[in-house]
Amino acid sequence: MLFLAIIGIIVFLLALFSLISARQSGNGWKFLATITVLSALVTAYATIKLPFWPYNHPKTEKTATSQKSSSTATSAKLSSSEAVFNEASQKKAAATTKLKEDSILKQLKANYKSIGTFTLDRETKTFTLMPTNKKYVKSLKIIKKYPAKNQKALTTVTTNYESLSNSIKKNLAKGYTIRVLQPGTKNTTLLSLKDGKVLVNNLKK
């Protein structure tokens, strides 16, 4: 439009000067008057349409706003998709963990059924053994009562549960506790281990 405006001004000025000369001589002034008017209109139109005038900006601003809104909407869609994907991943991981926990608990119940009963508290990640076998219960009571005289038996019991705790850490995950209840009680801990390390050992007392 700037180029058209410049050409328009040049033509307008030439036509205007020619018109003035023609009016003085009286020849062909009507044609020149038409050219002058047309060039003036073209120049005015081209000048109005120049981009630096404020009224020519709203469309650009509207387009920019539209593009920004579109970008925001796209980002929102991506965030929504990521949230759905993360939720699905978390559900899948939780389901996998539950299957592993069920498998470990089943094995513990089978392997320790001659000693006692195993339960699992999923919230605290604790496998608990309630000793019920009379001979095993008697052995634990003797070790607890006379730990100094039964160091070998004490070490054997502790080592066995350390191995069990390490096995759970390896085959399931870190952070799970093995808890052996004191026979004859419902919630008194006799021995407690996590990730192969002893947390509580009341057999020594």
Side-chain angles (χ1 to χ4, degrees), residues 17-183:
F17 289 136
S18 298
L19 176 62
I20 294 172
S21 299
R23 284 286 294 172
Q24 292 176 353
S25 63
N27 296 322
W29 66 270
K30 291 183 178 182
F31 173 74
L32 291 173
T34 302
I35 296 299
T36 302
V37 172
L38 288 175
S39 61
L41 291 174
V42 170
T43 302
Y45 175 78
T47 302
I48 290 172
K49 290 297 181 178
L50 288 175
F52 53 76
W53 298 113
Y55 48 76
N56 287 325
H57 293 170
K59 185 175 180 180
T60 303
E61 292 175 356
K62 185 176 180 181
T63 301
T65 303
S66 176
Q67 290 175 347
K68 184 177 180 181
S69 299
S70 177
S71 177
T72 303
T74 302
S75 298
K77 288 180 180 178
L78 289 174
S79 298
S80 177
S81 298
E82 289 174 358
V84 171
F85 177 76
N86 289 336
E87 184 179 357
S89 297
Q90 290 172 0
K91 287 183 178 179
K92 185 178 179 180
T96 301
T97 299
K98 185 178 183 302
L99 287 174
K100 288 183 177 181
E101 289 176 344
D102 290 342
S103 178
I104 295 292
L105 181 60
K106 185 177 179 181
Q107 291 177 37
L108 290 174
K109 286 182 176 181
N111 295 338
Y112 288 82
K113 65 180 180 179
S114 62
I115 294 177
T117 57
F118 256 107
T119 57
L120 169 61
D121 185 335
R122 298 181 195 275
E123 187 175 347
T124 61
K125 296 184 177 181
T126 303
F127 290 95
T128 302
L129 173 65
M130 169 61 79
T132 57
N133 181 277
K134 290 182 180 180
K135 290 183 179 181
Y136 190 69
V137 169
K138 185 178 179 179
S139 298
L140 292 176
K141 286 182 177 180
I142 291 173
I143 293 171
K144 181 174 173 59
K145 190 173 183 179
Y146 306 105
K149 294 181 180 181
N150 296 280
Q151 281 296 319
K152 186 176 180 179
L154 175 59
T155 301
T156 299
V157 170
T158 304
T159 302
N160 287 341
Y161 285 109
E162 285 177 347
S163 297
L164 177 60
S165 181
N166 277 319
S167 178
I168 290 175
K169 175 185 174 182
K170 180 180 179 181
N171 294 288
L172 181 55
K174 292 181 179 180
Y176 282 84
T177 301
I178 293 290
R179 184 181 179 216
V180 181
L181 295 180
Q182 183 171 314

Side-chain angles (χ1 to χ4, degrees), residues 1-9 43 46-47 49-52:
M1 284 297 174
L2 180 61
F3 178 75
L4 183 61
I6 294 173
I7 295 299
I9 291 173
T43 302
T47 302
K49 290 297 181 178
L50 288 175
F52 53 76

